[in-house]
Amino acid sequence: MDDTDAPDPTTDGTAQNRLEELVTAVSRGAATAPADGPAIEGAAAATAAVDSPGRPVARALAGSTALFAPDGAHLPADSPELTPLVADTLFDMASVTKVVTTLTAATLMDDGLLDPEAPVAEYLPSPHPSITVRQLLTHTAGLPPVMPLWKVPGGREQRLAAIAGAQLDTEPGTAHAYSCIGFILLGTLLEGLTDTPLPELARIRVLDPAGATSAGWSPSVEEGSRAAATEYQEDPPRGLVRGSTHDETAWSLGGAGNAGVFATLDDALALGRVLAGRGPGPTLSGPVRALLTTDQLPPGVTTGAPWRQGFGLRVGQELCPGEVLPRVVGHPGFTGTSVLADPSTGTVAVLLTNRVHPHRTRFSIDRSRRGLARIAFV
C-alpha cells in the first residue's frame, strides 16, 4: 500500500474517532509492510492529540515502540524490544527541538538580554561577521544544512570550532536554506549568553513553566527504556538507537539546539499551547510573539515551499497539496513528529511517530500530517 492508495481516515466522525483511525492507519502501514520496497505511509508507533479550548482533549495511540530487525524483517513476537506504546512513551522530537530553542531565545529577547539584530560575532566565534541572530532564527544565515560533526576528531569544543570555520553556502540574508547548523550555533550562543547549558536553560525558561515536565535532552537509562525506537545506525556505528538522540550531529554534541529533546504526548501538547498563546508557560510580549508567528523573511526571499518562515517556526500548514492554512504555526521533526498551533483559536495538534524505524528511508508520514491538520483546524 503506497501513499496514494492509503485510506483517508480524516473525513467523517468526531475528532476522537478520526484520530483513532489516523493512528491506526499509520501503525497498520508499518505492521503490514514488507521487509523492503519503496517508502510507504506508516510508523511502528503513532500517537496524536487535538486540544481545542472548551472541548475535551482528543487522544489516540497505536502500535509498538519497536517492530523491526536491522534487515527490515519483523521482530519475533517474544523479542524484548517489542513493548507496547503507552501514554507516557517518550519520542525523539528531532527538529521540534527547534521550537524549544526558539522559545528559550524569545524569553531572552523579552528580557532584553538578546538582540535579534545583533551580529552573532558579538557573542561567540562566527563563520561570518555579519550573520545575525535573526538570520539564525529564519534560516537565512547562509550556513550549510548539516555537517558530519561526529567525524570531527575531539569533543564538543573541537566540533563547535568546526562550525565556526564553516564555509557559507550563500551570502547572509540573501536566501532561505533550512539549517540545523544554524540552530546549533544559536543554542551555543544562548549558552554563552547565560552561562547555562541549553538543556538547563530551556528547562528553567520554557519546559517547566509550560508543564512539559518530562521533556528534555539526554533521558536517563530508565527513561530511555520507555522511548520509541528510532533507527539502526551504521555511520556512526550505534546499532538500534533508543533513548538516545537520533540526529547524529546533535548526538555528537550532547545538548544541541537543533535536535535532541525527548517528550511525551502531554509534553508536546504543552509546547503547542505556548505557541497558541494559552497558559501555562512563558508569557511572550506581543511584538516578540509576532516574530515567531508571522513571516520574517526579507523581501524577495521565499522558502520554496507552501509555508513561510517566522522566527524558528513554520507559518502555514498544508491540508493537501496546493491548499495551505496560513494561520497555523509549528514545526515537524525528521523522526516523524509534529507540533502545530492556531493562535487565532487556541487549537493545538500533535502527531508523534518513530517513522525512521528501522531505517529513515522506509516510511513516510507526510499524508498523516496533512490529515491531522484537517482533523484539528478545519
Side-chain angles (χ1 to χ4, degrees):
M1 180 176 66
D2 64 21
D3 185 42
T4 57
D5 295 330
D8 185 349
T10 64
T11 54
D12 297 304
T14 66
Q16 180 64 46
N17 291 340
R18 294 163 73 191
L19 277 184
E20 290 173 359
E21 292 171 6
L22 184 146
V23 300
T24 298
V26 171
S27 67
R28 186 186 301 120
T32 58
D36 53 19
I40 65 172
E41 190 82 0
T47 185
V50 174
D51 180 11
S52 297
R55 298 181 183 178
V57 179
R59 307 167 186 267
L61 57 83
S64 170
T65 57
L67 194 60
F68 300 101
D71 63 357
H74 285 78
L75 291 168
D78 61 351
S79 170
E81 296 291 351
L82 278 171
T83 56
L85 186 65
V86 293
D88 65 349
T89 294
L90 285 171
F91 284 82
D92 183 326
M93 300 298 286
S95 281
V96 177
T97 299
K98 294 179 175 71
V99 173
V100 179
T101 305
T102 295
L103 289 172
T104 304
T107 66
L108 293 168
M109 291 178 204
D110 258 339
D111 287 349
L113 299 175
L114 179 64
D115 178 2
E117 313 305 334
V120 172
E122 289 189 5
Y123 300 100
L124 78 171
S126 169
H128 193 284
S130 70
I131 292 175
T132 64
V133 174
R134 168 184 283 273
Q135 290 165 347
L136 296 182
L137 283 159
T138 58
H139 299 283
T140 57
L143 289 161
V146 295
M147 294 173 65
L149 295 182
W150 67 93
K151 297 181 180 180
V152 174
R156 180 180 173 90
E157 183 177 346
Q158 288 74 28
R159 290 162 183 165
L160 292 175
I163 292 177
Q167 292 291 113
L168 299 189
D169 290 342
T170 58
E171 186 70 17
T174 63
H176 177 277
Y178 184 77
S179 175
C180 286
I181 298 304
F183 264 74
I184 291 172
L185 195 60
L186 176 65
T188 306
L189 186 157
L190 301 181
E191 291 181 327
L193 182 64
T194 61
D195 196 27
T196 306
L198 181 61
E200 181 182 346
L201 183 67
R203 166 74 54 207
I204 294 168
R205 286 187 164 263
V206 176
L207 297 176
D208 281 352
T213 54
S214 55
W217 285 259
S218 302
S220 67
V221 173
E222 180 182 356
E223 291 168 335
S225 67
R226 60 183 176 89
T230 54
E231 190 170 27
Y232 291 94
Q233 289 189 353
E234 296 179 359
D235 183 19
R238 302 171 65 195
L240 179 62
V241 179
R242 185 170 192 165
S244 179
T245 303
H246 171 263
D247 181 273
E248 304 94 331
T249 304
W251 166 77
S252 74
L253 291 168
N258 69 308
V261 165
F262 283 77
T264 65
L265 185 67
D266 280 339
D267 295 328
L269 281 171
L271 291 174
R273 292 185 191 107
V274 177
L275 299 186
R278 297 166 55 191
T283 302
L284 304 178
S285 67
V288 167
R289 179 170 289 279
L291 293 173
L292 274 62
T293 59
T294 61
D295 183 26
Q296 296 296 313
L297 292 181
V301 176
T302 70
T303 64
W307 45 269
R308 300 292 289 174
Q309 181 71 62
F311 272 21
L313 302 182
R314 296 185 178 184
V315 181
Q317 168 61 41
E318 270 194 318
L319 294 174
C320 60
E323 185 179 356
V324 177
L325 282 175
R327 67 182 188 270
V328 175
V329 301
H331 212 290
F334 185 76
T335 51
T337 55
S338 294
V339 173
L340 301 171
D342 183 349
S344 69
T345 65
T347 295
V348 173
V350 170
L351 175 63
L352 305 182
T353 81
N354 61 342
R355 71 100 198 157
V356 296
H357 176 67
H359 300 292
R360 64 189 64 192
T361 58
R362 190 67 192 91
F363 296 106
S364 167
I365 59 156
D366 290 343
R367 189 172 180 276
S368 300
R369 283 173 168 148
R370 295 193 294 267
L372 175 69
R374 292 196 297 274
I375 293 170
F377 304 115
V378 177

